[in-house]
Amino acid sequence: MQNDQTELLKSYYWLNVAFRVPMGGLFEYKSESFIKLGSRVIVPFGKRTMIGIVVDHLISPTIDPKYIKNILDVIDDLPSLNEDWIRLIKFTADYYQRSIGDVVYSVIPSPLRTISSYNGKRSKGGPVVRAYESKSGFSPKEYIYSNHNYELEEQQKRAIEIIVSSLGEFKTILVHGVTGSGKTEVYLRSACHVLSMGKQVLFLVPEINLTPQLENAVRSHFANIISPEEILVVHSGISMQKRVLSWAMMQRSQVKVVLGTRMSIFSPLSNLGLIVIDEEHDISYKQQSRLRYSARDVAIWRAKDLGIPILLGSATPSLETWNHVNNKKYLLVSLDKRIKNICMPSIKLINTAKLPYSTVLTKELQEAIDLRLQRKEQSLIFINRRGYAPVFHCYACGWVSSCSRCSVFTVLHVLKDRSYRLQCHHCGLHSAIPRTCPICGNQDLKAMGLGTQSVEEELSLVFPQAKILRIDSDTARGSSVKDLLSDVNNGEIDILIGTQMLSKGHNFTKVSLVGVINSDSMIFSQDFRASERLFAQLMQVSGRSGRYSNGEVIIQTSFPDHSVYQSLVSNDYIGFANNLLKERKKTLLPPFSFQALLTAESKNIETSIKFLEESKFIIEGITSKNLSYNNKIICYDPLPARVFRVANIEKAQLLIEGHSRHILLSLLRNWLSLSSISFRKNNKVNWSIEIDPLEI
Ligand code: ADP
Ligand code: ZN
Ligand code: ZN
């Protein structure tokens, strides 16, 4: 018997295979022949067959070998994924508390991991990749190169020197540069050195809209040293066909530069030499659904694992990053002047506290716009709320229109035919406006507050001769943002109105005035990160002004003494950040503590809360029994989420805080393994866990 067992163990290779199924994602299989780590394999699973990735070679199985099935086939249309990549996936799964199969499923393009793409046939030779290739995915494009042979500024030279001297070892370098200081040029020249060493470069930007601009810069900069096909752009907006082909090219090492949004951090590159994260503070780097990872944080881990440098660029770094600069974990490279000695825009605060509530444009802002119209320059008016008015209500009884499916007010919108409609920004439901108040019958219902549409209306009344363009997610739906933006730079527009869509990274050549309306609401948000965010957002939108000549920024506020505004006026990121860090240290908020957020969703809030109360009970059971958690974990009470109902699903949250990452993660692991069975049985509640949540 014993001998049979030994014989059995010796005559097979034992493997861990990752794929995604509801009950976890790592399963043991056997094979008569050796299979490389990182191979895609076809395996039987119950009555189905699945595609999985081989992630471990086992010396012997951990369960009774007679239950272990054979691998059916190896898909060899692509080289196997390399060990670095497998480590990255394992780290991500471990850190964000997901199964390895879940992570694999989230990051590999679906045709490469779905059995139906292979027709259920166990044929080798890669029908999928070849099928896509035969559809001629990449037609060679003509690229027009703009000539970028700048004389570098002194501060750019210094930055590049420091970066280049760090190549070949792990180092996190913060490129802290004011808007218009030429950070991109610094990234590109540093990347040049990496390419000439024969290594690959990965560039991340926070938004799809920003990729064309960077792609252009990358293509023209590297035109002479690599061929156009060796540069890939990866984001969720490209076709699946292109994604599969890009993935295949990366796995075959046919690529030198990849640029993309957060998902591209999982690119299967085997010879990386540098990672660049532009606008590192941007919360778009955090995926807010399913696998809730931070691409920036994963990138830092990847760089460390590979022993390569990573550049984080920003004018307003996140406090997490700035804290690491203060404690010398990150190296700081500063670009504190704009190129060609262009001044930073001057920022003026206009106090609206004593003005009538209905004021949209103050006298000062109107005069400033008027001046731009005379000089044929452009003005950009920033208001971070789309629609006509955020509130529609009855003065007589206080009724406010709200969504029938969500716990939010509905927003008043004007349609093309000038009729009005109420719209829910959370579930998309819309309805006609009632003629009379549904509570008291009053006929005098009013809109309150401002949105991009009412600001547009006001501007066209005050400046009837001006050409006005509004850019928000409503107007960007029909035509692409790219086209709208090119109208702006071709000078056919006088006044631009927009939401935060406009604040990021775009280069507007003729904008010399930025007006900010209604930013105060963010100061009073409950989120402890609100002022950090507002500062970053306003700094960024201010940066759109006068990038090629001296610009002006006018902020209308009822709280001009608030530290956010005062620090903006003095262009003092460092003072502002250090003050916020002091406060966070006192109150032990991140980055001085570490958080995880457990979210429960169900048909009613009581069920969601009850689920979290039980979870809290289990967590407290663990912490009370285990001395290493003593006083190092705080588990708060479950609370309804800020917007607790969306589309009739009701959501509650439980915040868990730990003194260290290590302590927090170990607790969560403990707790998940204790709860996994009861979680699986509970079909009334959908739950998820988020590590390092950015929005609570
Ligand atoms: P940032 O990202 O720091 O806001 P950019 O990298 O977008 O700034 O640079 C602003 C503009 O200045 C870009 O149009 C860029 O091409 C240009 N630029 C960068 N470096 C130089 C330089 N040394 N001389 C002239 N123009 C430059
Ligand atoms: Zn009423
Ligand atoms: Zn709704």
Side-chain angles (χ1 to χ4, degrees):
M1 206 49 208
Q2 190 61 41
N3 262 348
D4 284 0
Q5 187 84 344
T6 319
E7 273 313 300
L8 179 69
L9 287 182
K10 273 204 281 189
S11 47
Y12 286 101
Y13 293 93
W14 306 91
L15 311 160
N16 259 337
V17 177
F19 50 88
R20 188 191 194 211
V21 284
M23 60 291 268
L26 206 52
F27 300 91
E28 294 178 23
Y29 286 91
K30 64 183 194 290
S31 164
E32 276 164 34
S33 52
F34 178 78
I35 299 179
K36 266 200 199 159
L37 215 59
S39 303
R40 277 148 67 234
V41 291
I42 298 181
V43 293
F45 186 76
K47 287 185 183 134
R48 292 184 289 167
T49 46
M50 310 281 275
I51 293 183
I53 309 275
V54 177
V55 295
D56 293 299
H57 289 135
L58 302 170
I59 295 166
S60 59
T62 65
I63 54 173
D64 189 339
K66 71 171 183 266
Y67 296 117
I68 297 185
K69 293 184 186 158
N70 271 310
I71 279 181
L72 300 177
D73 215 337
V74 180
I75 303 172
D76 54 5
D77 51 357
L78 292 172
S80 55
L81 291 149
N82 75 11
E83 286 183 36
D84 298 343
W85 191 87
I86 303 279
R87 273 202 308 282
L88 177 71
I89 294 304
K90 285 183 176 172
F91 159 77
T92 306
D94 184 52
Y95 188 79
Y96 293 105
Q97 311 277 322
R98 311 290 296 213
S99 72
I100 296 177
D102 231 4
V103 177
V104 162
Y105 182 93
S106 305
V107 306
I108 295 185
S110 60
L112 296 177
R113 58 164 165 73
T114 359
I115 197 81
S116 58
S117 327
Y118 290 83
N119 282 334
K121 269 184 284 172
R122 295 190 264 121
S123 61
K124 295 197 180 211
V128 168
V129 176
R130 211 183 298 142
Y132 279 108
E133 275 164 343
S134 66
K135 281 193 252 168
S136 80
F138 293 131
S139 48
K141 252 200 279 183
E142 284 288 317
Y143 293 102
I144 301 159
Y145 297 119
S146 40
N147 194 5
H148 274 228
N149 266 331
Y150 304 123
E151 186 73 40
L152 285 179
E153 304 274 336
E154 275 313 310
Q155 60 176 12
Q156 285 176 316
K157 278 189 206 155
R158 223 172 330 110
I160 294 163
E161 264 166 38
I162 296 174
I163 294 165
V164 169
S165 71
S166 303
L167 296 181
E169 56 174 330
F170 168 61
K171 198 172 264 181
T172 311
I173 304 173
L174 171 66
V175 182
H176 179 217
V178 296
T179 51
S181 57
K183 291 189 283 295
T184 313
E185 195 68 20
V186 171
Y187 309 149
L188 293 174
R189 301 248 180 157
S190 310
C192 232
H193 286 264
V194 176
L195 292 173
S196 67
M197 288 154 58
K199 298 250 177 183
Q200 299 163 314
V201 181
L202 177 58
F203 284 100
L204 263 64
V205 290
E207 268 190 24
I208 294 183
N209 289 332
L210 295 172
T211 49
Q213 193 173 311
L214 182 63
E215 182 184 3
N216 235 310
V218 164
R219 290 202 179 278
S220 41
H221 202 99
F222 299 134
N224 297 327
I225 52 174
I226 55 181
S227 71
E229 305 85 65
E230 292 175 311
I231 300 170
L232 286 185
V233 179
V234 175
H235 54 65
S236 58
I238 62 176
S239 68
M240 191 46 84
Q241 180 192 4
K242 256 196 168 171
R243 253 164 91 181
V244 168
L245 290 180
S246 300
W247 188 270
M249 286 176 69
M250 290 191 269
Q251 245 182 281
R252 291 174 181 145
S253 303
Q254 294 164 330
V255 174
K256 294 280 167 60
V257 176
V258 173
L259 66 99
T261 50
R262 61 171 182 256
M263 65 193 294
S264 56
I265 191 54
F266 294 108
S267 298
L269 299 168
S270 51
N271 195 18
L272 258 183
L274 176 70
I275 305 177
V276 180
I277 312 281
D278 196 18
E279 310 290 1
E280 67 86 24
H281 64 279
D282 200 304
I283 60 166
S284 306
Y285 282 123
K286 181 84 192 244
Q287 175 149 304
Q288 299 287 11
S289 60
R290 298 231 318 269
L291 175 61
R292 293 160 193 264
Y293 67 98
S294 153
R296 176 198 63 203
D297 296 350
V298 171
I300 294 171
W301 187 89
R302 192 172 186 181
K304 185 172 182 187
D305 184 55
L306 297 175
I308 61 170
I310 173 166
L311 305 183
L312 306 179
S314 179
T316 51
S318 65
L319 289 188
E320 282 75 8
T321 295
W322 190 251
N323 185 45
H324 285 322
V325 168
N326 282 343
N327 66 30
K328 306 273 184 280
K329 261 179 87 175
Y330 295 176
L331 182 68
L332 174 66
V333 169
S334 295
L335 303 168
D336 54 11
K337 287 191 288 285
R338 284 182 154 184
I339 46 155
K340 295 188 180 148
N341 282 325
I342 292 173
C343 293
M344 290 303 289
S346 76
I347 300 182
K348 281 195 200 107
L349 304 172
I350 306 297
N351 191 344
T352 52
K354 300 216 169 77
L355 299 178
Y357 185 76
S358 59
T359 310
V360 180
L361 305 171
T362 56
K363 190 169 108 300
E364 290 84 351
L365 184 51
Q366 279 191 32
E367 285 169 4
I369 295 172
D370 203 30
L371 187 66
R372 294 331 184 275
L373 289 173
Q374 288 167 31
R375 290 202 214 141
K376 303 242 176 300
E377 293 170 357
Q378 292 173 332
S379 306
L380 187 165
I381 308 301
F382 175 73
I383 168 166
N384 211 0
R385 196 177 264 147
R386 68 194 168 87
Y388 189 84
V391 178
F392 185 67
H393 75 148
C394 167
Y395 275 93
C397 77
W399 170 84
V400 181
S401 80
S402 55
C403 179
S404 58
R405 314 198 305 152
C406 309
S407 57
V408 294
F409 297 148
T410 43
V411 178
L412 189 66
H413 280 250
V414 193
L415 303 184
K416 282 215 177 83
D417 62 5
R418 308 299 307 157
S419 67
Y420 288 92
R421 170 171 101 170
L422 291 165
Q423 197 175 311
C424 173
H425 282 187
H426 283 82
C427 74
L429 196 73
H430 36 75
S431 54
I433 56 169
R435 283 169 200 282
T436 59
C437 172
I439 302 294
C440 73
N442 175 19
Q443 299 193 334
D444 190 21
L445 301 179
K446 288 218 163 67
M448 192 167 73
L450 297 173
T452 46
Q453 290 185 320
S454 46
V455 170
E456 181 181 21
E457 184 181 88
E458 175 78 9
L459 281 165
S460 46
L461 285 175
V462 180
F463 304 106
Q465 75 287 14
K467 277 188 232 102
I468 301 176
L469 177 70
R470 171 165 61 90
I471 301 190
D472 54 26
S473 53
D474 296 316
T475 61
R477 208 162 286 151
S479 40
S480 80
V481 177
K482 209 170 148 190
D483 295 341
L484 291 173
L485 292 176
S486 84
D487 287 350
V488 177
N489 276 343
N490 295 336
E492 282 150 32
I493 303 298
D494 300 313
I495 304 173
L496 194 59
I497 302 162
T499 56
Q500 54 88 26
M501 268 178 109
L502 282 190
S503 63
K504 295 181 185 175
H506 303 290
N507 256 327
F508 298 124
T509 44
K510 289 178 189 145
V511 170
S512 65
L513 170 70
V514 168
V516 176
I517 294 177
N518 249 15
S519 53
D520 288 344
S521 57
M522 261 182 87
I523 303 178
F524 301 106
S525 155
Q526 290 169 13
D527 191 334
F528 70 88
R529 287 191 174 88
S531 47
E532 174 185 0
R533 280 213 190 114
L534 180 61
F535 183 85
Q537 196 171 61
L538 293 181
M539 189 66 116
Q540 215 152 25
V541 71
S542 304
R544 301 313 108 206
S545 173
R547 283 167 80 83
Y548 299 87
S549 65
N550 295 349
E552 186 182 12
V553 178
I554 291 182
I555 300 175
Q556 299 188 167
T557 168
S558 297
F559 306 91
D561 295 330
H562 193 280
S563 64
V564 168
Y565 297 123
Q566 288 300 320
S567 310
L568 271 169
V569 168
S570 50
N571 187 24
D572 182 20
Y573 165 81
I574 295 178
F576 180 72
N578 286 340
N579 270 332
L580 281 187
L581 280 174
K582 250 186 240 153
E583 275 173 33
R584 299 252 185 112
K585 190 163 192 176
K586 240 188 274 160
T587 46
L588 278 185
L589 283 167
F592 302 99
S593 65
F594 299 88
Q595 297 183 327
L597 191 66
L598 179 64
T599 301
E601 294 180 331
S602 71
K603 288 270 161 58
N604 60 70
I605 193 76
E606 291 77 24
T607 310
S608 303
I609 296 263
K610 187 161 164 274
F611 176 90
L612 296 180
E613 270 164 358
E614 285 162 12
S615 302
K616 178 174 167 149
F617 184 76
I618 297 173
I619 289 175
E620 286 179 338
I622 301 172
T623 51
S624 66
K625 273 191 224 108
N626 189 329
L627 278 183
S628 64
Y629 298 131
N630 207 2
N631 294 326
K632 289 180 182 137
I633 294 281
I634 305 171
C635 185
Y636 293 89
D637 284 329
L639 288 174
R642 202 168 37 82
V643 176
F644 79 89
R645 190 190 324 114
V646 174
N648 288 330
I649 298 292
E650 303 195 340
K651 181 158 100 176
Q653 296 178 320
L654 176 69
L655 183 66
I656 309 154
E657 227 168 63
H659 280 206
S660 78
R661 260 203 178 118
H662 172 73
I663 292 273
L664 182 63
L665 290 180
S666 112
L667 170 82
L668 293 175
R669 246 173 248 132
N670 251 322
W671 162 65
L672 278 175
S673 67
L674 270 179
S675 317
S676 64
I677 294 170
S678 67
F679 275 4
R680 226 176 281 152
K681 279 201 206 128
N682 190 331
N683 55 5
K684 287 199 204 109
V685 176
N686 247 328
W687 63 277
S688 65
I689 189 152
E690 178 172 6
I691 312 296
D692 306 326
L694 285 181
E695 278 167 311
I696 299 168

